[in-house]
Amino acid sequence: MAYDLNLYGAALHHFEDGAALSEKKRFDNAGYHFGFAAECAVKCNLKMLGVRDDEKVQWTHLPEMKLLALQTLSGRSAATLRTVLERGNFMQQWDVRMRYASSGTIDEDTVKRWRDHANEVIGCLL
């Protein structure tokens, strides 16, 4: 089945799901969704900056995606996103494989940090 890509919409939906799960103190799943919100927002930013859908960076996950994005970004129009991604703690410790982790692995403070990072990178789209 083919899917239409809507990176902006996906970023917002994952962020909303992360917020709802966080309110219910389901931090493991909340953190997972905040990570995907951040990924989708970064990929949407990259697309807006001219990166094609078939480039590797568009199909990788954090933390590799962050490194590839930084290698891809250039020019003044990419400065805001670059500044966010260059922060050493941007989505630090988030990994797509965390979906297999035991419940209680992710603490509330980490989820709040990931939420803030996702929110910031979504803000780069506006």
Side-chain angles (χ1 to χ4, degrees), residues 38-53:
E39 279 193 6
C40 292
V42 168
K43 291 174 182 184
C44 187
N45 272 286
L46 291 171
K47 188 170 184 161
M48 291 169 49
L49 292 166
V51 175
R52 296 184 331 262
D53 290 338

Side-chain angles (χ1 to χ4, degrees), residues 28-29 32 95-103 105:
D28 300 297
N29 286 329
Y32 186 68
D95 191 291
V96 70
R97 293 174 292 184
M98 67 188 271
R99 65 182 162 219
Y100 305 116
S102 300
S103 293
T105 302

Side-chain angles (χ1 to χ4, degrees), residues 61-110:
H61 298 291
L62 291 164
E64 181 185 11
M65 183 208 63
K66 175 184 168 180
L67 298 173
L68 290 172
L70 286 169
Q71 291 170 359
T72 303
L73 292 171
S74 64
R76 286 192 324 202
S77 58
T80 303
L81 180 59
R82 175 175 283 288
T83 299
V84 172
L85 295 178
E86 284 179 335
R87 262 192 278 119
N89 73 342
F90 177 77
M91 298 306 293
Q92 187 176 30
Q93 298 175 329
W94 192 94
D95 191 291
V96 70
R97 293 174 292 184
M98 67 188 271
R99 65 182 162 219
Y100 305 116
S102 300
S103 293
T105 302
I106 310 301
D107 62 71
E108 184 175 6
D109 289 339
T110 300

